[in-house]
Amino acid sequence: MEYTNENLSALDKQHYLQTFGRFPVTFERGDGSHVWDVEGNEYIDALGGIAVNVLGHNHPGLVKAIQEQAGKLLHISNFYLNVPQAVLSKKLIDLSGLDRVFFANSGAESVEGAIKIARKYAHSIGRGGEIISFEGCFHGRTLATIATGKEQMQKGFEPIPTGFKKVPFNNLDAVKKAATKETAAIIIEPIQGEGGINIADEFFLKNLRNYCDEQNIVLIFDEIQCGIGRTGKMFAKDHVGVQPDIMTLAKALGGGVPIGAILSNEKVSSAIEFGDHGTTFGGNPLACAASLAVLEAIESENLLDETLKKELWLRTEIKKLNIPDIKEIRGKGLMLGIEFNFETKPMVLKMLKKGVLANATANTVLRVVPPLNIPTADLKRVVEVIYESYNEIKRNE
Protein backbone atom coordinates (compact mmCIF):
# COMPACT_ATOMS: atom_id res chain seq x y z
CA MET A 1 0.00 0.00 0.00
CA GLU A 2 1.37 3.40 -0.96
CA TYR A 3 0.73 5.85 1.83
CA THR A 4 -0.86 9.21 1.11
CA ASN A 5 -2.17 11.94 3.38
CA GLU A 6 -5.68 10.98 2.31
CA ASN A 7 -5.58 7.22 2.88
CA LEU A 8 -3.74 7.54 6.19
CA SER A 9 -6.30 10.09 7.36
CA ALA A 10 -9.00 7.57 6.46
CA LEU A 11 -7.23 4.88 8.52
CA ASP A 12 -6.97 7.27 11.43
CA LYS A 13 -10.67 8.10 11.31
CA GLN A 14 -11.55 4.40 11.14
CA HIS A 15 -9.38 3.16 14.01
CA TYR A 16 -8.18 5.97 16.31
CA LEU A 17 -10.33 7.45 19.09
CA GLN A 18 -11.67 10.62 17.49
CA THR A 19 -10.58 13.16 20.05
CA PHE A 20 -8.14 15.18 17.91
CA GLY A 21 -9.31 17.60 15.23
CA ARG A 22 -6.36 16.68 13.05
CA PHE A 23 -5.14 18.51 9.98
CA PRO A 24 -5.19 16.30 6.85
CA VAL A 25 -1.46 15.66 6.80
CA THR A 26 0.73 12.78 8.01
CA PHE A 27 4.38 13.44 8.77
CA GLU A 28 7.06 10.88 8.07
CA ARG A 29 10.41 12.46 8.90
CA GLY A 30 12.10 15.61 10.10
CA ASP A 31 15.44 17.33 10.12
CA GLY A 32 16.26 20.50 12.01
CA SER A 33 13.26 22.81 11.88
CA HIS A 34 11.81 21.07 8.80
CA VAL A 35 9.40 18.14 8.49
CA TRP A 36 8.16 16.18 5.49
CA ASP A 37 4.82 14.47 5.00
CA VAL A 38 4.32 11.07 3.39
CA GLU A 39 3.89 12.71 -0.03
CA GLY A 40 7.22 14.51 0.21
CA ASN A 41 5.85 17.98 0.96
CA GLU A 42 8.18 20.06 3.14
CA TYR A 43 7.17 22.30 6.03
CA ILE A 44 8.88 24.66 8.48
CA ASP A 45 7.99 23.59 12.01
CA ALA A 46 7.12 26.71 14.01
CA LEU A 47 5.09 24.64 16.47
CA GLY A 48 7.74 22.18 17.63
CA GLY A 49 5.21 19.55 18.68
CA ILE A 50 3.70 22.28 20.89
CA ALA A 51 6.97 23.38 22.53
CA VAL A 52 8.39 19.84 22.72
CA ASN A 53 11.00 19.59 19.95
CA VAL A 54 13.30 22.12 21.54
CA LEU A 55 16.27 20.87 19.47
CA GLY A 56 14.22 20.40 16.32
CA HIS A 57 14.15 17.05 14.55
CA ASN A 58 16.92 14.50 14.13
CA HIS A 59 19.36 16.42 16.33
CA PRO A 60 22.61 14.41 16.17
CA GLY A 61 23.39 14.58 19.89
CA LEU A 62 19.89 13.55 20.91
CA VAL A 63 19.70 10.77 18.32
CA LYS A 64 23.09 9.42 19.41
CA ALA A 65 22.12 9.40 23.08
CA ILE A 66 18.89 7.53 22.33
CA GLN A 67 20.62 5.00 20.08
CA GLU A 68 23.41 4.31 22.55
CA GLN A 69 21.06 3.93 25.52
CA ALA A 70 18.70 1.70 23.52
CA GLY A 71 21.65 -0.62 22.95
CA LYS A 72 22.39 -0.78 26.68
CA LEU A 73 19.22 -0.79 28.76
CA LEU A 74 15.64 0.31 28.04
CA HIS A 75 13.79 -0.52 31.23
CA ILE A 76 14.25 -2.13 34.61
CA SER A 77 12.04 -1.01 37.49
CA ASN A 78 12.21 1.71 40.09
CA PHE A 79 13.03 -1.00 42.59
CA TYR A 80 16.52 -0.38 41.15
CA LEU A 81 18.48 2.67 40.06
CA ASN A 82 19.74 3.35 36.56
CA VAL A 83 22.68 5.57 35.64
CA PRO A 84 20.91 8.19 33.45
CA GLN A 85 18.22 8.70 36.11
CA ALA A 86 20.75 9.36 38.86
CA VAL A 87 22.78 11.76 36.70
CA LEU A 88 19.69 13.60 35.43
CA SER A 89 18.36 13.97 38.97
CA LYS A 90 21.52 15.80 40.04
CA LYS A 91 21.54 17.91 36.87
CA LEU A 92 17.98 19.16 37.36
CA ILE A 93 18.56 19.88 41.04
CA ASP A 94 21.70 21.85 40.18
CA LEU A 95 19.88 23.84 37.48
CA SER A 96 16.72 24.55 39.47
CA GLY A 97 17.97 25.13 43.01
CA LEU A 98 15.31 22.76 44.34
CA ASP A 99 16.10 19.66 46.40
CA ARG A 100 14.27 16.59 45.15
CA VAL A 101 13.04 15.21 41.84
CA PHE A 102 10.55 12.54 40.80
CA PHE A 103 10.24 11.44 37.18
CA ALA A 104 6.96 10.82 35.41
CA ASN A 105 5.89 10.25 31.81
CA SER A 106 3.93 13.39 30.94
CA GLY A 107 2.95 16.86 32.03
CA ALA A 108 -0.45 15.91 33.42
CA GLU A 109 1.13 13.09 35.41
CA SER A 110 3.68 15.54 36.81
CA VAL A 111 0.92 17.92 37.94
CA GLU A 112 -1.00 15.04 39.53
CA GLY A 113 2.13 14.12 41.48
CA ALA A 114 2.70 17.73 42.49
CA ILE A 115 -0.84 17.92 43.87
CA LYS A 116 -0.25 14.74 45.88
CA ILE A 117 2.99 16.08 47.37
CA ALA A 118 1.35 19.41 48.21
CA ARG A 119 -1.63 17.76 49.87
CA LYS A 120 0.52 15.34 51.85
CA TYR A 121 2.58 18.26 53.18
CA ALA A 122 -0.51 20.34 53.93
CA HIS A 123 -2.12 17.52 55.86
CA SER A 124 1.09 17.04 57.84
CA ILE A 125 0.76 20.60 59.18
CA GLY A 126 -3.00 20.48 59.77
CA ARG A 127 -4.20 22.21 56.59
CA GLY A 128 -6.81 20.97 54.14
CA GLY A 129 -6.21 19.76 50.60
CA GLU A 130 -7.76 22.50 48.46
CA ILE A 131 -5.92 23.64 45.34
CA ILE A 132 -6.25 27.15 43.87
CA SER A 133 -5.57 27.65 40.16
CA PHE A 134 -6.07 30.56 37.77
CA GLU A 135 -8.48 31.45 35.01
CA GLY A 136 -6.97 30.68 31.63
CA CYS A 137 -4.81 27.89 33.03
CA PHE A 138 -4.14 24.49 31.51
CA HIS A 139 -2.54 21.77 33.59
CA GLY A 140 -3.54 18.63 31.71
CA ARG A 141 -6.49 16.39 30.79
CA THR A 142 -6.67 13.88 33.63
CA LEU A 143 -9.61 14.20 36.00
CA ALA A 144 -7.71 16.14 38.65
CA THR A 145 -6.02 18.43 36.16
CA ILE A 146 -9.23 19.31 34.33
CA ALA A 147 -10.66 20.16 37.74
CA THR A 148 -8.14 23.01 37.85
CA GLY A 149 -9.11 24.36 34.42
CA LYS A 150 -11.85 25.38 32.03
CA GLU A 151 -15.44 24.29 32.66
CA GLN A 152 -15.82 23.32 28.99
CA MET A 153 -13.17 20.61 29.46
CA GLN A 154 -15.11 19.20 32.40
CA LYS A 155 -18.44 18.72 30.61
CA GLY A 156 -19.46 15.07 30.37
CA PHE A 157 -16.83 13.88 32.85
CA GLU A 158 -18.74 14.52 36.04
CA PRO A 159 -18.43 14.00 38.91
CA ILE A 160 -15.38 16.25 38.79
CA PRO A 161 -12.98 15.86 41.74
CA THR A 162 -13.67 18.36 44.49
CA GLY A 163 -11.23 20.56 46.35
CA PHE A 164 -10.37 22.95 43.51
CA LYS A 165 -10.95 26.69 43.10
CA LYS A 166 -10.12 29.16 40.32
CA VAL A 167 -9.37 32.87 40.62
CA PRO A 168 -8.50 35.60 38.09
CA PHE A 169 -4.92 35.56 36.77
CA ASN A 170 -2.49 38.13 38.21
CA ASN A 171 -4.93 39.07 41.00
CA LEU A 172 -3.50 38.70 44.50
CA ASP A 173 -6.62 40.08 46.20
CA ALA A 174 -8.66 37.31 44.59
CA VAL A 175 -6.15 34.74 45.85
CA LYS A 176 -6.40 36.07 49.39
CA LYS A 177 -10.20 36.02 49.29
CA ALA A 178 -10.25 32.44 48.03
CA ALA A 179 -7.60 31.03 50.37
CA THR A 180 -8.59 29.49 53.68
CA LYS A 181 -7.11 27.06 56.17
CA GLU A 182 -8.29 24.37 53.78
CA THR A 183 -5.92 25.61 51.06
CA ALA A 184 -2.99 23.28 50.46
CA ALA A 185 -1.45 24.81 47.35
CA ILE A 186 -1.64 27.43 44.63
CA ILE A 187 -0.65 26.31 41.14
CA ILE A 188 0.30 28.74 38.39
CA GLU A 189 2.00 28.79 35.00
CA PRO A 190 4.56 31.64 34.94
CA ILE A 191 3.47 31.95 31.32
CA GLN A 192 0.10 30.48 30.40
CA GLY A 193 0.33 28.49 27.18
CA GLU A 194 -3.12 27.24 26.20
CA GLY A 195 -4.62 30.33 27.81
CA GLY A 196 -3.09 32.58 25.15
CA ILE A 197 0.57 33.15 26.15
CA ASN A 198 -0.27 35.28 29.19
CA ILE A 199 2.66 36.32 31.39
CA ALA A 200 2.36 36.30 35.15
CA ASP A 201 3.35 39.74 36.39
CA GLU A 202 6.69 39.83 38.23
CA PHE A 203 5.29 41.94 41.07
CA PHE A 204 2.35 39.52 41.38
CA LEU A 205 4.58 36.42 41.50
CA LYS A 206 6.85 37.94 44.15
CA ASN A 207 3.89 38.91 46.30
CA LEU A 208 2.27 35.54 45.75
CA ARG A 209 5.47 33.90 46.97
CA ASN A 210 5.44 36.11 50.08
CA TYR A 211 1.78 35.35 50.75
CA CYS A 212 2.34 31.60 50.43
CA ASP A 213 5.25 31.86 52.87
CA GLU A 214 3.12 33.78 55.37
CA GLN A 215 0.26 31.27 55.17
CA ASN A 216 2.39 28.14 54.73
CA ILE A 217 0.66 27.38 51.44
CA VAL A 218 2.59 25.36 48.86
CA LEU A 219 3.42 27.31 45.68
CA ILE A 220 3.53 25.18 42.52
CA PHE A 221 4.94 26.47 39.25
CA ASP A 222 3.79 24.56 36.18
CA GLU A 223 6.68 25.01 33.74
CA ILE A 224 5.66 22.17 31.46
CA GLN A 225 5.45 24.48 28.44
CA CYS A 226 7.57 27.46 29.47
CA GLY A 227 10.48 25.52 31.00
CA ILE A 228 13.69 24.00 29.56
CA GLY A 229 15.02 27.04 27.71
CA ARG A 230 11.78 28.02 25.96
CA THR A 231 11.83 31.58 27.33
CA GLY A 232 15.57 32.23 27.01
CA LYS A 233 16.20 31.11 30.60
CA MET A 234 16.37 27.48 31.63
CA PHE A 235 13.16 28.05 33.60
CA ALA A 236 10.68 30.91 33.31
CA LYS A 237 10.97 31.44 37.08
CA ASP A 238 14.53 32.62 36.52
CA HIS A 239 13.28 35.78 34.80
CA VAL A 240 11.71 36.96 38.05
CA GLY A 241 13.86 35.30 40.70
CA VAL A 242 10.93 33.55 42.40
CA GLN A 243 11.47 30.02 43.70
CA PRO A 244 8.41 27.76 43.99
CA ASP A 245 8.06 24.93 46.46
CA ILE A 246 7.26 22.53 43.61
CA MET A 247 7.88 22.82 39.88
CA THR A 248 6.53 20.55 37.15
CA LEU A 249 8.31 19.87 33.85
CA ALA A 250 7.67 17.81 30.71
CA LYS A 251 7.43 18.68 26.97
CA ALA A 252 10.93 19.92 26.01
CA LEU A 253 12.57 17.97 28.83
CA GLY A 254 12.94 14.94 26.55
CA GLY A 255 13.15 16.77 23.24
CA GLY A 256 10.42 14.49 21.87
CA VAL A 257 10.89 11.47 24.13
CA PRO A 258 8.08 11.35 26.74
CA ILE A 259 9.27 12.37 30.20
CA GLY A 260 7.91 14.50 33.02
CA ALA A 261 9.43 15.66 36.27
CA ILE A 262 8.33 16.99 39.63
CA LEU A 263 10.95 19.06 41.46
CA SER A 264 10.37 20.06 45.07
CA ASN A 265 12.12 21.63 48.02
CA GLU A 266 13.06 19.67 51.10
CA LYS A 267 10.29 21.20 53.21
CA VAL A 268 7.45 19.70 51.20
CA SER A 269 9.41 16.63 50.09
CA SER A 270 9.93 15.55 53.69
CA ALA A 271 6.21 14.78 53.99
CA ILE A 272 6.49 11.95 51.46
CA GLU A 273 7.03 8.45 52.86
CA PHE A 274 7.87 5.14 51.19
CA GLY A 275 4.96 4.02 49.05
CA ASP A 276 3.18 7.38 48.86
CA HIS A 277 3.78 7.68 45.12
CA GLY A 278 5.21 5.55 42.34
CA THR A 279 5.58 4.93 38.62
CA THR A 280 6.37 2.04 36.30
CA PHE A 281 7.95 3.90 33.39
CA GLY A 282 8.91 7.23 34.96
CA GLY A 283 12.66 7.81 35.01
CA ASN A 284 13.41 4.95 32.63
CA PRO A 285 16.97 4.90 31.22
CA LEU A 286 16.00 5.85 27.66
CA ALA A 287 13.97 8.92 28.58
CA CYS A 288 16.58 10.12 31.08
CA ALA A 289 19.43 9.68 28.59
CA ALA A 290 17.46 11.72 26.05
CA SER A 291 16.83 14.44 28.62
CA LEU A 292 20.52 14.67 29.52
CA ALA A 293 21.33 15.11 25.82
CA VAL A 294 18.75 17.90 25.53
CA LEU A 295 20.17 19.80 28.49
CA GLU A 296 23.74 19.32 27.26
CA ALA A 297 22.84 20.70 23.83
CA ILE A 298 21.03 23.72 25.25
CA GLU A 299 24.16 24.60 27.19
CA SER A 300 26.86 23.70 24.64
CA GLU A 301 25.04 25.34 21.72
CA ASN A 302 24.32 28.51 23.72
CA LEU A 303 20.62 28.18 22.94
CA LEU A 304 19.42 30.37 25.81
CA ASP A 305 21.16 33.47 24.42
CA GLU A 306 20.18 32.49 20.89
CA THR A 307 16.55 32.25 21.96
CA LEU A 308 16.54 35.78 23.37
CA LYS A 309 18.14 37.13 20.19
CA LYS A 310 15.56 35.37 18.03
CA GLU A 311 12.73 36.71 20.17
CA LEU A 312 13.93 40.28 19.58
CA TRP A 313 14.31 39.63 15.86
CA LEU A 314 10.85 38.07 15.57
CA ARG A 315 9.12 40.85 17.48
CA THR A 316 10.82 43.49 15.34
CA GLU A 317 9.97 41.78 12.04
CA ILE A 318 6.35 41.14 12.98
CA LYS A 319 5.90 44.77 14.01
CA LYS A 320 7.37 45.85 10.67
CA LEU A 321 4.47 44.11 8.91
CA ASN A 322 2.18 46.86 10.23
CA ILE A 323 -0.79 44.52 10.39
CA PRO A 324 -3.63 46.62 11.85
CA ASP A 325 -5.43 43.54 13.22
CA ILE A 326 -2.55 42.57 15.52
CA LYS A 327 -3.54 43.62 19.03
CA GLU A 328 -0.47 42.45 20.92
CA ILE A 329 2.63 40.23 20.81
CA ARG A 330 3.02 38.42 24.13
CA GLY A 331 5.49 36.00 25.63
CA LYS A 332 9.19 35.50 26.24
CA GLY A 333 11.92 33.89 24.19
CA LEU A 334 10.47 31.57 21.58
CA MET A 335 7.16 31.21 23.36
CA LEU A 336 5.27 33.94 21.56
CA GLY A 337 1.58 34.61 21.07
CA ILE A 338 0.38 37.05 18.43
CA GLU A 339 -3.13 38.18 19.29
CA PHE A 340 -5.36 39.22 16.38
CA ASN A 341 -8.78 40.86 16.18
CA PHE A 342 -10.20 37.64 14.75
CA GLU A 343 -10.08 33.87 15.31
CA THR A 344 -6.76 32.49 14.11
CA LYS A 345 -7.71 28.92 13.15
CA PRO A 346 -8.29 29.91 9.48
CA MET A 347 -4.84 31.56 9.45
CA VAL A 348 -3.21 28.39 10.80
CA LEU A 349 -4.79 26.37 7.99
CA LYS A 350 -3.58 28.84 5.37
CA MET A 351 -0.09 28.74 6.87
CA LEU A 352 -0.14 24.93 6.70
CA LYS A 353 -0.97 25.06 3.01
CA LYS A 354 1.98 27.41 2.55
CA GLY A 355 4.32 25.04 4.37
CA VAL A 356 4.49 26.44 7.91
CA LEU A 357 3.22 24.73 11.08
CA ALA A 358 1.76 26.95 13.79
CA ASN A 359 -1.16 26.80 16.20
CA ALA A 360 -4.21 28.78 17.25
CA THR A 361 -4.90 29.04 20.97
CA ALA A 362 -7.39 31.01 23.07
CA ASN A 363 -9.39 31.59 19.85
CA THR A 364 -7.58 34.73 18.68
CA VAL A 365 -3.92 33.97 19.41
CA LEU A 366 -1.40 32.59 16.92
CA ARG A 367 1.09 30.55 18.96
CA VAL A 368 4.69 30.34 17.72
CA VAL A 369 6.90 27.89 19.64
CA PRO A 370 9.56 26.65 17.20
CA PRO A 371 12.75 24.72 17.99
CA LEU A 372 15.22 26.95 19.83
CA ASN A 373 17.83 26.28 17.13
CA ILE A 374 15.60 27.30 14.22
CA PRO A 375 17.66 29.28 11.66
CA THR A 376 16.84 32.93 11.10
CA ALA A 377 16.14 32.15 7.43
CA ASP A 378 13.32 29.84 8.52
CA LEU A 379 11.95 32.43 10.91
CA LYS A 380 11.99 34.93 8.05
CA ARG A 381 9.82 32.58 6.00
CA VAL A 382 7.47 32.13 8.96
CA VAL A 383 6.98 35.91 9.13
CA GLU A 384 6.39 36.08 5.37
CA VAL A 385 3.76 33.34 5.58
CA ILE A 386 1.98 35.08 8.46
CA TYR A 387 1.76 38.19 6.29
CA GLU A 388 0.65 36.30 3.18
CA SER A 389 -1.97 34.35 5.10
CA TYR A 390 -3.32 37.47 6.79
CA ASN A 391 -3.67 39.25 3.46
CA GLU A 392 -5.56 36.31 1.96
CA ILE A 393 -7.98 36.28 4.88
CA LYS A 394 -8.64 39.99 4.53
CA ARG A 395 -9.17 39.73 0.77
CA ASN A 396 -11.77 37.01 1.28
CA GLU A 397 -13.80 38.91 3.88
Side-chain angles (χ1 to χ4, degrees):
M1 178 181 180
E2 182 179 348
Y3 292 134
T4 66
N5 288 318
E6 185 177 1
N7 64 30
L8 285 167
S9 180
L11 278 177
D12 177 68
K13 289 175 181 176
Q14 182 180 357
H15 299 291
Y16 199 85
L17 186 67
Q18 292 298 289
T19 186
F20 298 117
R22 298 193 205 262
F23 293 103
V25 60
T26 302
F27 292 114
E28 188 173 37
R29 64 186 180 92
D31 193 71
S33 52
H34 291 239
V35 289
W36 287 262
D37 68 21
V38 292
E39 296 174 10
N41 300 306
E42 184 176 358
Y43 306 79
I44 294 172
D45 187 359
L47 182 59
I50 315 180
V52 169
N53 301 107
V54 68
L55 302 181
H57 304 273
N58 200 26
H59 183 278
L62 179 55
V63 170
K64 181 181 179 184
I66 293 169
Q67 289 174 334
E68 289 183 352
Q69 187 58 49
K72 292 179 180 178
L73 186 67
L74 283 177
H75 179 76
I76 41 170
S77 158
N78 279 305
F79 284 129
Y80 316 101
L81 184 61
N82 67 76
V83 174
Q85 185 186 114
V87 177
L88 180 60
S89 297
K90 182 181 186 305
K91 182 68 175 178
L92 287 175
I93 293 310
D94 290 344
L95 287 170
S96 68
L98 290 163
D99 301 308
R100 299 281 176 180
V101 63
F102 182 90
F103 291 114
N105 305 287
S106 68
E109 191 181 333
S110 298
V111 173
E112 288 261 3
I115 290 171
K116 284 182 69 176
I117 295 170
R119 283 180 167 172
K120 188 71 190 294
Y121 171 74
H123 293 157
S124 76
I125 59 170
R127 298 188 69 92
E130 195 171 75
I131 308 296
I132 296 176
S133 59
F134 292 87
E135 293 174 4
C137 75
F138 180 83
H139 299 293
R141 292 184 183 271
T142 60
L143 282 171
T145 54
I146 63 172
T148 67
K150 299 176 183 176
E151 282 75 12
Q152 67 191 60
M153 290 187 178
Q154 300 172 6
K155 290 179 180 177
F157 302 110
E158 298 86 356
I160 299 300
T162 58
F164 295 88
K165 287 181 181 177
K166 276 199 308 295
V167 298
F169 193 57
N170 277 331
N171 189 326
L172 188 63
D173 288 339
V175 171
K176 291 180 177 179
K177 287 178 183 176
T180 69
K181 289 185 178 179
E182 293 302 307
T183 304
I186 298 170
I187 183 168
I188 187 169
E189 300 156 271
I191 303 178
Q192 290 184 334
E194 296 296 316
I197 316 298
N198 306 309
I199 300 178
D201 180 74
E202 179 177 347
F203 182 75
F204 169 72
L205 285 178
K206 288 180 176 178
N207 282 288
L208 181 64
R209 173 71 276 178
N210 291 337
Y211 177 72
C212 287
D213 287 340
E214 291 167 4
Q215 302 298 318
N216 211 354
I217 294 171
V218 177
L219 180 58
I220 305 170
F221 278 5
D222 179 341
E223 293 227 17
I224 288 163
Q225 188 166 155
C226 61
I228 312 299
R230 174 58 51 190
T231 66
K233 298 281 189 181
M234 188 59 75
F235 308 106
K237 71 182 182 67
D238 298 336
H239 287 280
V240 295
V242 175
Q243 185 75 308
D245 298 297
I246 303 174
M247 180 169 65
T248 59
L249 301 172
K251 285 192 178 285
L253 183 59
V257 175
I259 183 172
I262 310 158
L263 283 76
S264 50
N265 63 25
E266 193 61 39
K267 181 180 80 170
V268 300
S269 301
S270 63
I272 295 297
E273 302 175 80
F274 291 124
D276 277 348
H277 197 48
T279 175
T280 295
F281 294 110
N284 70 79
L286 186 72
C288 290
S291 183
L292 283 166
V294 168
L295 296 173
E296 194 280 329
I298 289 173
E299 293 177 336
S300 65
E301 296 174 26
N302 200 29
L303 292 183
L304 299 182
D305 287 343
E306 286 297 310
T307 296
L308 294 174
K309 291 174 184 176
K310 288 168 185 173
E311 176 197 357
L312 179 60
W313 185 92
L314 255 181
R315 285 180 176 273
T316 301
E317 294 302 308
I318 293 168
K319 288 176 181 177
K320 283 181 184 178
L321 298 177
N322 290 316
I323 295 176
D325 283 303
I326 290 181
K327 293 174 65 176
E328 187 180 8
I329 304 171
R330 296 193 293 270
K332 288 182 183 294
L334 287 176
M335 184 178 179
L336 295 180
I338 308 164
E339 184 173 9
F340 286 82
N341 287 318
F342 52 80
E343 290 193 5
T344 50
K345 283 184 180 178
M347 175 174 281
V348 169
L349 186 56
K350 286 188 177 294
M351 291 176 68
L352 177 68
K353 291 177 179 177
K354 293 175 180 292
V356 171
L357 309 183
N359 169 251
T361 189
N363 296 321
T364 58
V365 177
L366 182 71
R367 174 165 46 179
V368 180
V369 281
L372 303 188
N373 55 2
I374 185 171
T376 302
D378 284 349
L379 287 177
K380 183 178 180 181
R381 180 57 187 156
V382 171
V383 173
E384 290 171 352
V385 167
I386 290 172
Y387 189 61
E388 292 170 9
S389 301
Y390 168 77
N391 285 333
E392 286 185 14
I393 288 171
K394 300 307 287 186
R395 280 198 301 268
N396 293 331
E397 284 185 345

